[in-house]
Structure formats: C-alpha cells, structure tokens
C-alpha cells in the first residue's frame, strides 16, 4: 500500500487544508497577501511540473502563459471594463491555452535543449511584443487591473484580501486535485514512461510527440490560471512577466521542492515565496542569496528539499 | 439592619476600592494644573539676496494640554527604491541624498524632537516586489510614512494600494504622465515630487523653440519603448503649435539598452534635419553621443536631448559643445551665490560622495531632499495649527499647497492633483575644466506656468488649446 493511501496521509492532507483555511484568522493582511502569492505560484508550479517532473521537458518560457493570463485579465478589466469573475478567468485561461496549443505543437516536436531554447524564444517574443504594442499593453509602464466581481462581491488583493485569499485557495485545491488525477491517470503514467525512456514508450505504442504536446497544453492551462489570479492580487501587470528570468522563478521553485515528487513544487513555491519575501527585506543582495540557495539545492539536494527528505525517510523506513 | 455576609463584605470592599480609585484619579487630574508643552522649531530659510547665507529661524510653539503628545519613539520612514538591476545607478544616488539629509535632520534633533529612522527596501525596479515591500512595511513593520524612489511602472502599481491602505506616500520619481491623469486622478495619500514626463517634454520643446527659433526640420533618435515614443509625440505636438510649418524628416528607434547607434545616426543625418532630438537616457544617451561624434552628428546639425542635463557629466570632457540639454534639476541652478541652499547641498554632497555622478547631485537627489524636507515642514506646520502631533490627514491638508525651499529653488504641491510644481532647466553644453566635464552654460528655465496643464486637464487637450497671438 502506498503512502498516499494510508490513514496518516489522509490526516496530513486534512490538517494542511485546515491550516490553509485558518490563515486569515491570524488577521494579518500581509500574511493573506503572502499566502495568496504562494498559492498562485503553487498552481503555476503544479502545471509546470507536469512538463518538467512527469514528462521530462525543461521549459524556460512558461512565464509567457502566466503573462498571457495576467494581461488578459488586465486588458479585459481596464480597457473593456469586463469584471465578471467567470468571464475574465475563463477568457484568460482560453487565451493562454490557445497560444499554448500553437506553441506547444511547434515545441513538442523537439527534445532537450532545442525544446528549452524554443520555449525561451517564444517567451522573449511575447516580452518584445508587450513592449512594442504599448498602446494596448501600456509598454514598460504596464497596465492596471480592476477587481473581479461575482454576486456583488469584489475580489482583489488590494482591498479585502480575505475574500481573495479564499478564492485563490479554492482554485489551488481544484488545481491540486485535478493535477493529482492527471498524474495518476493512464495519461499521466504514459507521460512518466516518456520521461523515463521515450524510445521504449514509442515502441509500446505511446504517441510520444502527441502526448508531449498534450502535457504542454495542460501545463499552459495551469499557467494561465495562475497568471489570471496573480493580476488582481497585485493590481498591476508589467512585461517582466514574459521575461525568461520570471520563467526561471517557477523552475527554481519546482527544483527547490523537488520535481520527482507530486507535492514538491507546491512546497518549493511556498518556501520560495516566503524566503524571497524575507530575504529581500533583510538585504539588498537578495539576488545573490537566492542564487546561492539555488547552487546549494543543485549540489546537495538534487531531488529538491522535499524530494531528498522523502527519499531519505523512505530508505530509513525500509531499513526498519 | 441585617447581618453582612462575608461575600457581601468582599463585594463592597472591591466596589469601594474601584469607585475610590476613580474618584481619586479624577480629583488628582483636576487638582493638577494643565501642563503645556513648548516645542522649538528651527527652520532653515534661504534669504535669496545675493551672496548671503541661509539663516535659521527659531519658532516656539506651545501645545495645548488637550493636544496629542509628540510620541517619544522615532518616526519610521519606509523607503522603497531601486538598488539592484538596470536602474540602480540612477536611484541609488537619490537614496544617498536622502540618507545625508536625514542624518542632518537627526543631528539637529529630528522632527519636533523625534528622530527619523529609515527602513530601506530594494524593489529591483520590479512592481510586484515594490508592492510586496509596501504592504509589508505598512502592515508588518508599522512605518508612519513612505517615500518611493522608483520607476514609472512601480509608481503606477503602487498608487492605488497606497490610497487603499491610507499611508502618506511621497513618490520622488515614477514620472509616468498617466499616474495622476488616469490611474489616480483624485489622490488623497499620494504625492509626487518630480516633474512628470509630459512636463519634461513640453518644457524641452519650448526650450528648443526659444534656442533655435529658425529650426523647421526635426528628426529623432529615440528609445523604442513607451517613454521614447510618448516624449517625442509630446515634443512634436508642442513644436507644431509653436512652429506650424515644422516638419519631421526622420525617425530612428533603437531598442532600449542598444549598443550600436550607427545605423540610426546615419539615417537621421541623411534626412538633413535642422535639429536632431536624442530621446534617450542613461548609458544609452552617453553611448549615442559618443558614437555621434565619430559620424560628425554635432557638426552637421544641432542636437538636443530631453534628459541630457542629467547625464552629460558621464561624457567627461569628450562632450561636444552646444547640445541643448534639459533636466528637472541642475546642480548649478539656481546659481550658488543667489541661492545658498543649492550651494550648501552641493558642497555637502561633494564632500560625502566625490565619486558619485562626478561628485554633484542629480534630479533624484533634489527630489529626495524635497521629500524629506516637505514631510518635516508639513509636520511642523500642522503641529503649529493643531497644537499637537498631527495625524496623517492633518499633515496631508498642510502638504496640499505647501511651498518647499529645495536646492532647486522653491517648489510647491498643487492641491488638486498632489503634483509638485517647479521649473525645468535647459542649457547648452560647454566643457568646463573646473568640473572636469561639460556643464550647461548658459542656463534657462521654463516656468511651471508655461509648461503645466491646469489640474484635471490632460496635456494633449491643453496643448491643443494653445492659440498663437497675432
């Protein structure tokens, strides 16, 4: 019986959910904001890990789909005054998935470094376009985002952060559940087979390129959703979201937590968000500190912090 | 009379003690004569007469006994600025000037006896980090006020949050025109110090026309992003009003942070313009001017730059003479003999930071000075009015229309949109052996009245409404 089906696991999941539900009870609007940010990054990392952890594809351009989701929300709410939550979020996910489908089709035909470079190139293309189309996008100044509305309630990270936190938490739990179902489905197992040995996977009848493309599309759905939730949280979006350095943040978070374990990217995203928040408040050399952290993770925790912990504990239990 | 139980006795005893305590305290309070607090405020005032020093005026204010007491703990001033990334060179000098002024104010006893404690955060020029710092400073670290030396994108992102959280926020730069035209048209807690982009462009266009009234054919080498295009759009809109038969003969748009401008210089030279405008800033402007020397740009036509006054020191003595440069504050204006505050500010900056910006402060240093002194002035003035430590709202009501003596002359906050107004400086470059780089000589100014749209009116509507006097 796997760890995931044990009573301990169920109790742990329930405790985590209760803990997440109780965060606003602390009464700190900054904590709510930070928690929202961590959950948004977690959704993004969950989708990203479908590619990196489960399909073995390294993307340097997932900021593009995050940015498309964020900019769709900004343009709809600010330029067209459309603030309906389901309409705005739905459109943001559609736009991001649409471009993900086209770009994914072109990228999934390639492997390893060529795949990585192509994703980076498309991301930089969107970055340049956002600068150029400044009448639409606001260029380097960016564009403001108005709150989302549903049933007379307003959702944004500027005003009442509690309601926005619960909205983000709802989408996080949905993402977590769907992602869990995907990785444990036959499709998810096929992706893992592709990751471990594409040739063998092909030989047993798995359409490798098509499945890689599907995985890419699914990951862009998560990225679009994360971007769409990020925009009202900050109330402003800028072209930096499309920049490859921003894409690097989700890669960092995923590696930090561990890309070979389902919950790794979520833990990585939470640790990354909290660490960055505190390190930037303490020192102006925070990029150096984060860089060092990445070096330490790469050298001493090749499976990420949670991944390494899990592997170690699993080994100990086996010995016992 | 019945027997008193033990329980009733204890109840009575506790009740008696409480009532007695209250009556005793009230009696003591009434019996004590009202205590008045006297606070001495020292103000440094430049007299403005030639070759005079600044004078310190002492004002004594007596606070009413009922007034809010001056807290004993230091004033926590949150500072969010860019200390890493491409904008760091520009913004870090503003922080240096701010630290210099805070040190001086603290040495003189602080603001009404309260020392200022700076809590500095680096945004790296990224709006999301800027917002994160802002929320943390306000909700977790309990800062009293915030000043921001940051990019336009950061200012635009920050303003709605500052209004929502109700924190007095002094934006030093962040000069996007749309900040008060679109994003925060009726600000309550947000004030901006520097001239914004539209004012830079309008004043520069006026300066071009005044310097070279015969110029008809114009060309531009501009940074290919929103700021470059917007500035050129405003400059040409104003020039069309001033010179109806003007003509744009060439436009070249190198990308931001380009390294090679040769194709762009060749393109504009081929069109034989009267004036070439360099709508660039920072290292881009310096690089373009250096490459332009080799192509004979400065011999074949007149050259102007909307931001030049801030960056020409970086060219050293290589800088070609006769470039018309504009800026928001120029370290030699007002002349030091006529405005001692400017001389003192420059001398102090030069003494502390001889290797920063050639040893002389730039526009963001002046705005940092202005931010801290405007806050000090507003708090002290509000204190004299309310007779106690003022609330944020009371400080704001004083800050609206507040006139502040700055190294760059007197500047004031406009009540309607919280934009500080001051003149813009333009001048022609001339190599100075004394300073070791090109300075602006002669220098002219464009006044706020000439370049600023009325409150609530967008720059385009205002410029379009200009009519030529026949």
């Amino acid at each position: 019986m796997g760890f995931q089906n044990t009573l301990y696991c169920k109790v742990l999941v329930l405790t985590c959910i209760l803990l997440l539900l109780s965060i606003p009870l602390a009464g700190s609007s900054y904590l709510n904001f930070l928690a929202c940010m961590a959950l948004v990054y977690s959704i993004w990392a969950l989708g990203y890990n479908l590619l990196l952890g489960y399909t073995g594809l390294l993307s340097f351009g997932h900021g593009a789909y995050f940015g498309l989701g964020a900019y769709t929300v900004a343009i709809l709410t600010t330029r067209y005054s459309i603030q309906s939550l389901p309409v705005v979020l739905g459109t943001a996910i559609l736009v991001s998935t649409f471009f993900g489908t086209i770009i994914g089709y072109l990228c999934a035909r390639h492997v390893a470094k060529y795949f990585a470079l192509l994703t980076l190139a498309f991301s930089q293309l969107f970055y340049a376009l956002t600068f150029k189309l400044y009448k639409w996008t606001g260029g380097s100044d960016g564009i403001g985002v108005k709150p989302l509305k549903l049933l007379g309630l307003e959702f944004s990270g500027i005003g009442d952060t509690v309601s926005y936190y619960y909205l983000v938490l709802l989408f996080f739990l949905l993402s977590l559940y769907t992602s869990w179902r995907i990785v444990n489905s036959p499709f998810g197992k096929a992706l893992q087979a592709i990751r471990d040995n594409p040739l063998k996977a092909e030989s047993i009848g798995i359409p490798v390129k098509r499945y890689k493309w599907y995985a890419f599309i699914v990951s862009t759905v998560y990225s679009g959703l994360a971007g769409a939730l990020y925009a009202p949280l900050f109330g402003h979006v800028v072209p930096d979201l499309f920049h490859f350095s921003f894409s690097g943040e989700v890669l960092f978070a995923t590696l930090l937590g561990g890309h070979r374990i389902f919950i790794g990217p979520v833990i990585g995203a939470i640790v990354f968000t909290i660490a960055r928040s505190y390190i930037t408040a303490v020192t102006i050399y925070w990029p150096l500190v984060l860089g060092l952290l990445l070096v330490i993770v790469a050298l001493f925790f090749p499976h990420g912090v949670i991944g390494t912990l899990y592997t170690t504990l699993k080994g100990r239990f086996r010995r016992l | 009379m019945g027997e008193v139980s033990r329980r009733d006795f204890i109840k009575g005893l506790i009740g008696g003690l409480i009532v007695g305590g209250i009556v005793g305290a009230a009696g003591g309070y009434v019996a004590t004569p009202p205590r008045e607090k006297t606070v001495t405020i020292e103000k440094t005032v430049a007299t403005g007469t030639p070759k005079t020093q600044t004078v310190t005026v002492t004002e004594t204010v007596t606070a009413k006994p009922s007034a809010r007491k001056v807290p004993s703990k230091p004033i926590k001033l949150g500072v969010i600025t860019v200390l890493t990334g491409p904008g760091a060179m520009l913004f870090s000098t503003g922080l240096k000037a701010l630290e210099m002024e805070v040190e001086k104010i603290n040495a003189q006893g602080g603001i009404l006896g309260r020392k200022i404690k700076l809590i500095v955060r680096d945004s790296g020029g990224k709006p999301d980090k800027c917002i994160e710092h802002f929320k943390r400073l306000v909700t977790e670290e309990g800062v009293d006020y915030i000043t921001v030396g940051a990019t336009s994108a950061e200012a635009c992102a920050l303003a709605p949050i500052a209004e929502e959280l109700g924190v007095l926020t002094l934006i030093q730069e962040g000069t996007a025109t749309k900040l008060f035209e679109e994003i925060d048209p009726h600000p309550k807690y947000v004030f901006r110090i520097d001239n914004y982009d539209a004012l830079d462009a309008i004043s520069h266009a006026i300066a071009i026309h005044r310097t070279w009234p015969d110029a008809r054919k114009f060309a531009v080498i501009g940074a290919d992003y929103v700021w470059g295009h917007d500035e050129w759009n405003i400059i040409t809109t104003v020039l069309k009003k001033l010179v109806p038969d003007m003509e744009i003969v060439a436009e070249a748009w190198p990308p931001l942070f380009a390294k090679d401008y040769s194709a762009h210089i060749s393109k504009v030279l081929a069109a034989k313009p009267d004036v070439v405008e360099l709508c660039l800033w920072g290292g881009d402007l310096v690089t373009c001017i250096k490459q332009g020397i080799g192509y004979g740009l400065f011999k074949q036509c007149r050259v102007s730059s909307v931001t030049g006054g801030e960056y020409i020191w970086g060219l050293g003595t290589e800088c070609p003479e006769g470039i018309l440069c504009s800026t928001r504050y120029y370290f030699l204006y007002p002349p030091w003999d006529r405005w001692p505050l400017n001389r003192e500010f420059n001398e102090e900056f030069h003494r502390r930071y001889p290797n920063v910006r050639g040893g002389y402060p730039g526009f963001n240093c002046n705005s940092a000075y202005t931010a801290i002194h405007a806050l000090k002035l507003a708090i002290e003035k509000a204190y004299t009015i309310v007779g106690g430590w003022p609330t944020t709202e009371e400080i704001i009501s004083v800050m609206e229309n507040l006139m502040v003596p700055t190294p760059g002359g007197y500047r004031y906050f406009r009540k309607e949109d919280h934009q500080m107004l001051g003149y813009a400086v333009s001048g022609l470059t001339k190599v100075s052996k004394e300073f070791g780089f090109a300075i602006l000589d002669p220098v002219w100014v464009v006044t706020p009245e000439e370049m600023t749209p009325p409150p609530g009116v967008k720059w385009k509507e205002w410029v379009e409404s200009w009519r030529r006097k026949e």
Side-chain angles (χ1 to χ4, degrees), chain A residues 48 51-52 56-62 103 106-108 110-124 216 244 247 251:
Chain A
Y48 183 77
L51 268 191
L52 182 70
L57 292 172
L58 172 65
S59 165
F60 280 125
H62 260 52
I103 295 166
L106 298 169
C107 294
H110 301 273
V111 290
K113 56 184 181 268
Y114 302 104
F115 174 85
L117 282 174
L118 262 178
T119 55
L120 187 143
F122 279 112
S123 171
Q124 289 301 101
F216 195 97
F244 72 87
S247 300
L251 172 63

Side-chain angles (χ1 to χ4, degrees), chain B residues 28 49 87 92 187 205 256 282 284 305 390 415:
Chain B
T49 50
S92 60
L256 192 62
D284 288 14
S305 173
K415 184 179 178 180

Side-chain angles (χ1 to χ4, degrees), chain A residues 25 47 52 67 76 84 102-103 119 126 143 148 151 172 209 215 240 249 252 262 291 299 317:
Chain A
L25 298 178
L52 182 70
L76 283 178
S84 161
I102 296 169
I103 295 166
T119 55
F126 280 111
I143 180 170
L148 302 178
L151 304 169
F172 166 71
K209 281 181 188 168
D240 289 0
E249 290 189 3
F252 185 10
F262 177 73
L299 288 177
F317 283 130

Side-chain angles (χ1 to χ4, degrees), chain A residues 32-180:
Chain A
N32 296 345
F33 174 77
L34 205 63
C36 280
M37 201 156 57
L39 293 183
V40 166
Y41 269 67
S42 297
I43 295 171
W44 191 21
L46 273 172
Y48 183 77
N49 203 40
L50 282 176
L51 268 191
L52 182 70
Y54 289 93
T55 320
L57 292 172
L58 172 65
S59 165
F60 280 125
H62 260 52
Y65 314 102
F66 188 98
L68 280 166
Y71 265 87
T72 306
V73 173
I75 290 169
L76 283 178
T77 57
T78 306
R79 299 258 188 264
Y80 296 102
S81 298
I82 300 170
Q83 291 174 261
S84 161
L85 191 144
V87 174
V88 171
L89 288 191
T91 314
I93 294 168
L94 273 178
V95 169
S96 156
T97 313
F98 172 74
F99 283 100
T101 307
I102 296 169
I103 295 166
Y105 179 75
L106 298 169
C107 294
R109 306 163 72 85
H110 301 273
V111 290
K113 56 184 181 268
Y114 302 104
F115 174 85
L117 282 174
L118 262 178
T119 55
L120 187 143
F122 279 112
S123 171
Q124 289 301 101
L125 181 74
F126 280 111
Y127 178 67
L129 276 174
T130 322
F131 260 88
K132 279 288 213 185
L133 304 172
Y134 58 88
K135 283 187 179 153
W136 264 77
T137 62
S140 59
D141 290 348
I143 180 170
V145 182
K146 287 184 183 163
L148 302 178
K149 288 180 180 170
L150 182 70
L151 304 169
L153 289 172
E154 282 201 349
F155 295 91
S156 87
I158 296 175
D160 175 22
T161 49
V162 177
S163 57
Y164 197 71
Y165 171 76
Y166 283 120
L167 179 79
V168 174
L169 180 61
L170 175 71
F171 279 105
F172 166 71
L173 293 174
L174 276 173
S175 304
L176 200 68
Y177 176 72
T178 51
S179 178
W180 175 253

